[in-house]
Each structure stands twice: as structure tokens, then as C-alpha cells.
Amino acid sequence: DRVTHVLIGDVAGHGPDEAALGAALRIAWRTLTFAGIHGMEQMRQLDRVLNAERAENGVFATVLSLAIPAEGPVTATRAGHPGLLLHGPGSVNWIEPPYGPALGLRGGDWPQHQLEIPAGHGLLLLTDGLFEGYAGRGARRLGEDGLLALARGHAGLSGAAFVDALVDG
């Protein structure tokens, strides 16, 4: 059976060192995936790469890795990363699978979690940049609840139109 693997992540910081670390982690993840290493062991190895490659102590990364089979449940492994949205015909729900610590913080366990995705539904992976933006004028942040409310207001849209509406909102 063919399985598609997907990764989303975010390195703390904004400089060239953090960008290089993000690239190193992506390459390491891809190499581990090709080697058949997934789940908790994959996170352990990514944690080792981050600790070896980061320019300063205290730099960390959050990641969410999904294994998506042609049929059956999706397997999620999270290291401190935000949850994801389940978008279906006229509905949106926030999914928060169990997780372990962000990479580079203290090691630990990264549980795998099975997600049943109903027919006609899709997953939207995101980083905190989508909900840490300001909600209109002033200093109030959108937050996860605000993002979910925004997403539910556009639940009738599909695919790219749904994503565009969230980014524009």
C-alpha cells in the first residue's frame, strides 16, 4: 500500500540560521521517511539533528508529521506544533492530536495518533502565524478560537477558496 507523508514545521526565530536549520530538518525528515523511519523514532532523530545543527541553545522547532494511506486512518505525530483543521461539507473542526515537546527543548516521547477522516473531508495544516495575527484594529490577536470561528464562517467553500478566505481573513 502506498502512503503519502507530509510535514509542516516552524523553527523559532527569523534569521538565516533558523532558515538553514529548517532546511536541515526538512532534509533529515525526508531522508528518515525514505529510510522507513516514522513516528516517535523519527522525532527522536530530528531532535538529535536540531541539537547538532542549531546555532544557539534555546532554539527549538515544532513539527507535525502525517502518514496518509490510500485507505484507512491518517497517523499524526506532533512535536509541540499547533493542531489542524478538519474541513468537510459545511463544517470545520479543530483537531488537537496528542503531542510531545517541541524539538530541541528536552527530548521525550512523541505519541502517534490515528485520525479517522470522513469521506469528503480534508485536513488543513497550519503554523501559528495563521492565528497569531491581529484580529482587526488594535492589539487583540485572532487566536485559535478566532481562527476556528473564521474558518466555520467559510465552511461552505472548498479547497483553495477555503484556504484563501482564511489567509485573507
Side-chain angles (χ1 to χ4, degrees):
D1 283 330
R2 185 171 169 94
V3 177
T4 301
H5 295 272
V6 177
L7 174 77
I8 188 167
D10 192 7
V11 176
H14 301 288
D17 290 337
E18 292 81 7
L21 180 58
L25 288 170
R26 180 190 173 280
I27 292 166
W29 173 84
R30 191 170 175 86
T31 301
L32 291 163
T33 300
F34 284 150
I37 299 170
H38 309 289
M40 187 180 310
E41 183 57 26
Q42 185 181 62
M43 293 301 149
R44 282 189 183 128
Q45 296 305 321
L46 290 174
D47 191 56
R48 287 181 64 202
V49 169
L50 185 142
N51 284 306
E53 296 297 324
R54 65 183 170 188
E56 299 177 24
N57 284 338
V59 173
F60 64 93
T62 66
V63 297
L64 166 63
S65 181
L66 299 179
I68 307 169
E71 293 183 24
V74 171
T75 302
T77 310
R78 290 174 59 209
H81 201 76
L84 54 159
L85 294 176
L86 176 66
H87 176 228
S91 70
V92 179
N93 290 298
W94 185 268
I95 299 177
E96 194 75 37
Y99 63 94
L103 302 177
L105 290 185
R106 59 178 166 79
D109 291 333
W110 295 276
Q112 289 185 287
H113 184 74
Q114 304 294 307
L115 303 172
E116 294 290 339
I117 310 302
H121 286 68
L123 296 173
L124 176 68
L125 285 65
L126 51 101
T127 65
D128 57 9
L130 193 57
F131 57 80
E132 284 187 348
Y134 293 105
R137 296 182 182 186
R140 190 173 67 86
R141 301 273 184 181
L142 181 62
E144 293 173 4
D145 291 337
L147 175 61
L148 182 57
L150 177 66
R152 286 181 171 161
H154 297 292
L157 299 175
S158 62
F162 175 70
V163 173
D164 288 345
L166 291 183
V167 172
D168 289 345

